[in-house]
PDB file of all heavy atoms in Angstrom:
ATOM      1  N   ASP A1019     -48.832  -1.981  56.766  1.00 97.00           N
ATOM      2  CA  ASP A1019     -47.978  -1.951  57.956  1.00 97.00           C
ATOM      3  C   ASP A1019     -46.626  -1.306  57.662  1.00 97.00           C
ATOM      4  O   ASP A1019     -45.957  -0.816  58.568  1.00 97.00           O
ATOM      5  CB  ASP A1019     -47.729  -3.371  58.483  1.00 97.00           C
ATOM      6  CG  ASP A1019     -48.972  -3.933  59.146  1.00 97.00           C
ATOM      7  OD1 ASP A1019     -49.938  -3.165  59.321  1.00 97.00           O
ATOM      8  OD2 ASP A1019     -48.971  -5.141  59.473  1.00 97.00           O
ATOM      9  N   ALA A1020     -46.220  -1.313  56.398  1.00 98.00           N
ATOM     10  CA  ALA A1020     -44.926  -0.707  56.035  1.00 98.00           C
ATOM     11  C   ALA A1020     -44.987   0.821  56.130  1.00 98.00           C
ATOM     12  O   ALA A1020     -43.945   1.481  56.112  1.00 98.00           O
ATOM     13  CB  ALA A1020     -44.522  -1.140  54.632  1.00 98.00           C
ATOM     14  N   GLY A1021     -46.188   1.376  56.211  1.00 98.00           N
ATOM     15  CA  GLY A1021     -46.336   2.819  56.413  1.00 98.00           C
ATOM     16  C   GLY A1021     -46.030   3.672  55.185  1.00 98.00           C
ATOM     17  O   GLY A1021     -45.754   4.861  55.307  1.00 98.00           O
ATOM     18  N   LEU A1022     -46.124   3.071  53.998  1.00 98.00           N
ATOM     19  CA  LEU A1022     -45.800   3.841  52.785  1.00 98.00           C
ATOM     20  C   LEU A1022     -47.008   4.535  52.156  1.00 98.00           C
ATOM     21  O   LEU A1022     -46.872   5.182  51.122  1.00 98.00           O
ATOM     22  CB  LEU A1022     -45.123   2.946  51.738  1.00 98.00           C
ATOM     23  CG  LEU A1022     -43.724   2.428  52.087  1.00 98.00           C
ATOM     24  CD1 LEU A1022     -43.093   1.754  50.883  1.00 98.00           C
ATOM     25  CD2 LEU A1022     -42.815   3.548  52.572  1.00 98.00           C
ATOM     26  N   ALA A1023     -48.196   4.383  52.791  1.00 98.00           N
ATOM     27  CA  ALA A1023     -49.396   5.036  52.255  1.00 98.00           C
ATOM     28  C   ALA A1023     -50.188   5.677  53.383  1.00 98.00           C
ATOM     29  O   ALA A1023     -50.607   4.990  54.313  1.00 98.00           O
ATOM     30  CB  ALA A1023     -50.273   4.007  51.551  1.00 98.00           C
ATOM     31  N   PRO A1024     -50.408   6.993  53.298  1.00 98.00           N
ATOM     32  CA  PRO A1024     -51.330   7.596  54.273  1.00 98.00           C
ATOM     33  C   PRO A1024     -52.712   6.964  54.064  1.00 98.00           C
ATOM     34  O   PRO A1024     -53.112   6.732  52.920  1.00 98.00           O
ATOM     35  CB  PRO A1024     -51.363   9.082  53.873  1.00 98.00           C
ATOM     36  CG  PRO A1024     -50.199   9.290  52.963  1.00 98.00           C
ATOM     37  CD  PRO A1024     -49.887   7.968  52.329  1.00 98.00           C
ATOM     38  N   VAL A1025     -53.415   6.644  55.147  1.00 97.00           N
ATOM     39  CA  VAL A1025     -54.731   6.004  54.989  1.00 97.00           C
ATOM     40  C   VAL A1025     -55.779   7.064  54.644  1.00 97.00           C
ATOM     41  O   VAL A1025     -55.522   8.264  54.724  1.00 97.00           O
ATOM     42  CB  VAL A1025     -55.141   5.166  56.232  1.00 97.00           C
ATOM     43  CG1 VAL A1025     -54.199   3.985  56.404  1.00 97.00           C
ATOM     44  CG2 VAL A1025     -55.177   6.032  57.477  1.00 97.00           C
ATOM     45  N   ILE A1026     -56.959   6.600  54.252  1.00 95.00           N
ATOM     46  CA  ILE A1026     -57.959   7.458  53.621  1.00 95.00           C
ATOM     47  C   ILE A1026     -58.321   8.697  54.453  1.00 95.00           C
ATOM     48  O   ILE A1026     -58.524   9.770  53.920  1.00 95.00           O
ATOM     49  CB  ILE A1026     -59.217   6.632  53.213  1.00 95.00           C
ATOM     50  CG1 ILE A1026     -60.152   7.447  52.330  1.00 95.00           C
ATOM     51  CG2 ILE A1026     -59.945   6.056  54.398  1.00 95.00           C
ATOM     52  CD1 ILE A1026     -59.621   7.690  50.948  1.00 95.00           C
ATOM     53  N   HIS A1027     -58.388   8.582  55.785  1.00 95.00           N
ATOM     54  CA  HIS A1027     -58.797   9.736  56.577  1.00 95.00           C
ATOM     55  C   HIS A1027     -57.626  10.616  57.005  1.00 95.00           C
ATOM     56  O   HIS A1027     -57.820  11.597  57.712  1.00 95.00           O
ATOM     57  CB  HIS A1027     -59.655   9.294  57.775  1.00 95.00           C
ATOM     58  CG  HIS A1027     -58.996   8.224  58.591  1.00 95.00           C
ATOM     59  ND1 HIS A1027     -59.284   6.885  58.405  1.00 95.00           N
ATOM     60  CD2 HIS A1027     -58.068   8.285  59.554  1.00 95.00           C
ATOM     61  CE1 HIS A1027     -58.545   6.170  59.238  1.00 95.00           C
ATOM     62  NE2 HIS A1027     -57.791   6.993  59.939  1.00 95.00           N
ATOM     63  N   GLU A1028     -56.429  10.280  56.583  1.00 97.00           N
ATOM     64  CA  GLU A1028     -55.289  11.163  56.908  1.00 97.00           C
ATOM     65  C   GLU A1028     -55.252  12.320  55.909  1.00 97.00           C
ATOM     66  O   GLU A1028     -55.437  12.102  54.710  1.00 97.00           O
ATOM     67  CB  GLU A1028     -53.971  10.387  56.798  1.00 97.00           C
ATOM     68  CG  GLU A1028     -53.674   9.516  58.001  1.00 97.00           C
ATOM     69  CD  GLU A1028     -52.298   8.849  57.873  1.00 97.00           C
ATOM     70  OE1 GLU A1028     -51.292   9.538  58.103  1.00 97.00           O
ATOM     71  OE2 GLU A1028     -52.261   7.660  57.520  1.00 97.00           O
ATOM     72  N   PRO A1029     -55.002  13.537  56.380  1.00 96.00           N
ATOM     73  CA  PRO A1029     -54.999  14.679  55.456  1.00 96.00           C
ATOM     74  C   PRO A1029     -54.018  14.518  54.300  1.00 96.00           C
ATOM     75  O   PRO A1029     -54.278  14.999  53.196  1.00 96.00           O
ATOM     76  CB  PRO A1029     -54.588  15.869  56.355  1.00 96.00           C
ATOM     77  CG  PRO A1029     -54.873  15.441  57.744  1.00 96.00           C
ATOM     78  CD  PRO A1029     -54.778  13.939  57.780  1.00 96.00           C
ATOM     79  N   ASP A1030     -52.900  13.813  54.516  1.00 97.00           N
ATOM     80  CA  ASP A1030     -51.898  13.645  53.461  1.00 97.00           C
ATOM     81  C   ASP A1030     -52.332  12.714  52.331  1.00 97.00           C
ATOM     82  O   ASP A1030     -51.647  12.624  51.313  1.00 97.00           O
ATOM     83  CB  ASP A1030     -50.600  13.056  54.057  1.00 97.00           C
ATOM     84  CG  ASP A1030     -49.695  14.149  54.596  1.00 97.00           C
ATOM     85  OD1 ASP A1030     -49.990  15.338  54.359  1.00 97.00           O
ATOM     86  OD2 ASP A1030     -48.691  13.802  55.242  1.00 97.00           O
ATOM     87  N   ARG A1031     -53.448  11.993  52.529  1.00 98.00           N
ATOM     88  CA  ARG A1031     -53.878  11.044  51.493  1.00 98.00           C
ATOM     89  C   ARG A1031     -54.107  11.775  50.157  1.00 98.00           C
ATOM     90  O   ARG A1031     -53.798  11.251  49.097  1.00 98.00           O
ATOM     91  CB  ARG A1031     -55.161  10.344  51.948  1.00 98.00           C
ATOM     92  CG  ARG A1031     -55.710   9.325  50.949  1.00 98.00           C
ATOM     93  CD  ARG A1031     -54.937   8.023  50.976  1.00 98.00           C
ATOM     94  NE  ARG A1031     -55.504   7.062  50.043  1.00 98.00           N
ATOM     95  CZ  ARG A1031     -55.059   5.816  49.878  1.00 98.00           C
ATOM     96  NH1 ARG A1031     -54.045   5.370  50.591  1.00 98.00           N
ATOM     97  NH2 ARG A1031     -55.610   4.999  49.013  1.00 98.00           N
ATOM     98  N   ALA A1032     -54.668  12.962  50.208  1.00 98.00           N
ATOM     99  CA  ALA A1032     -54.980  13.691  48.962  1.00 98.00           C
ATOM    100  C   ALA A1032     -53.700  14.007  48.188  1.00 98.00           C
ATOM    101  O   ALA A1032     -53.607  13.751  46.989  1.00 98.00           O
ATOM    102  CB  ALA A1032     -55.749  14.960  49.289  1.00 98.00           C
ATOM    103  N   ALA A1033     -52.701  14.558  48.880  1.00 98.00           N
ATOM    104  CA  ALA A1033     -51.444  14.900  48.199  1.00 98.00           C
ATOM    105  C   ALA A1033     -50.751  13.645  47.705  1.00 98.00           C
ATOM    106  O   ALA A1033     -50.150  13.630  46.623  1.00 98.00           O
ATOM    107  CB  ALA A1033     -50.537  15.671  49.154  1.00 98.00           C
ATOM    108  N   TYR A1034     -50.848  12.588  48.478  1.00 98.00           N
ATOM    109  CA  TYR A1034     -50.243  11.297  48.112  1.00 98.00           C
ATOM    110  C   TYR A1034     -50.820  10.781  46.791  1.00 98.00           C
ATOM    111  O   TYR A1034     -50.086  10.454  45.847  1.00 98.00           O
ATOM    112  CB  TYR A1034     -50.517  10.322  49.263  1.00 98.00           C
ATOM    113  CG  TYR A1034     -50.254   8.875  48.982  1.00 98.00           C
ATOM    114  CD1 TYR A1034     -48.961   8.365  48.967  1.00 98.00           C
ATOM    115  CD2 TYR A1034     -51.323   7.993  48.760  1.00 98.00           C
ATOM    116  CE1 TYR A1034     -48.734   7.012  48.723  1.00 98.00           C
ATOM    117  CE2 TYR A1034     -51.100   6.648  48.525  1.00 98.00           C
ATOM    118  CZ  TYR A1034     -49.801   6.164  48.506  1.00 98.00           C
ATOM    119  OH  TYR A1034     -49.581   4.837  48.272  1.00 98.00           O
ATOM    120  N   LEU A1035     -52.155  10.753  46.706  1.00 98.00           N
ATOM    121  CA  LEU A1035     -52.797  10.274  45.473  1.00 98.00           C
ATOM    122  C   LEU A1035     -52.476  11.208  44.317  1.00 98.00           C
ATOM    123  O   LEU A1035     -52.224  10.775  43.190  1.00 98.00           O
ATOM    124  CB  LEU A1035     -54.317  10.189  45.663  1.00 98.00           C
ATOM    125  CG  LEU A1035     -54.805   9.107  46.626  1.00 98.00           C
ATOM    126  CD1 LEU A1035     -56.316   9.200  46.806  1.00 98.00           C
ATOM    127  CD2 LEU A1035     -54.418   7.708  46.136  1.00 98.00           C
ATOM    128  N   ARG A1036     -52.485  12.485  44.603  1.00 98.00           N
ATOM    129  CA  ARG A1036     -52.226  13.466  43.550  1.00 98.00           C
ATOM    130  C   ARG A1036     -50.864  13.238  42.916  1.00 98.00           C
ATOM    131  O   ARG A1036     -50.720  13.234  41.701  1.00 98.00           O
ATOM    132  CB  ARG A1036     -52.340  14.872  44.165  1.00 98.00           C
ATOM    133  CG  ARG A1036     -52.164  16.018  43.193  1.00 98.00           C
ATOM    134  CD  ARG A1036     -50.753  16.551  43.276  1.00 98.00           C
ATOM    135  NE  ARG A1036     -50.594  17.797  42.551  1.00 98.00           N
ATOM    136  CZ  ARG A1036     -49.626  18.650  42.787  1.00 98.00           C
ATOM    137  NH1 ARG A1036     -48.764  18.416  43.754  1.00 98.00           N
ATOM    138  NH2 ARG A1036     -49.499  19.736  42.066  1.00 98.00           N
ATOM    139  N   TRP A1037     -49.831  12.985  43.744  1.00 98.00           N
ATOM    140  CA  TRP A1037     -48.496  12.802  43.165  1.00 98.00           C
ATOM    141  C   TRP A1037     -48.406  11.505  42.355  1.00 98.00           C
ATOM    142  O   TRP A1037     -47.764  11.457  41.313  1.00 98.00           O
ATOM    143  CB  TRP A1037     -47.417  12.819  44.256  1.00 98.00           C
ATOM    144  CG  TRP A1037     -47.027  14.208  44.655  1.00 98.00           C
ATOM    145  CD1 TRP A1037     -47.199  14.793  45.883  1.00 98.00           C
ATOM    146  CD2 TRP A1037     -46.402  15.210  43.834  1.00 98.00           C
ATOM    147  NE1 TRP A1037     -46.729  16.085  45.873  1.00 98.00           N
ATOM    148  CE2 TRP A1037     -46.232  16.360  44.624  1.00 98.00           C
ATOM    149  CE3 TRP A1037     -45.991  15.253  42.506  1.00 98.00           C
ATOM    150  CZ2 TRP A1037     -45.654  17.539  44.143  1.00 98.00           C
ATOM    151  CZ3 TRP A1037     -45.416  16.420  42.007  1.00 98.00           C
ATOM    152  CH2 TRP A1037     -45.251  17.539  42.819  1.00 98.00           C
TER     153      TRP A1037
END
Side-chain angles (χ1 to χ4, degrees):
D1019 287 352
L1022 292 189
V1025 295
I1026 191 71
H1027 52 264
E1028 281 184 77
D1030 274 351
R1031 180 77 178 182
Y1034 167 77
L1035 291 176
R1036 183 261 191 159
W1037 278 116

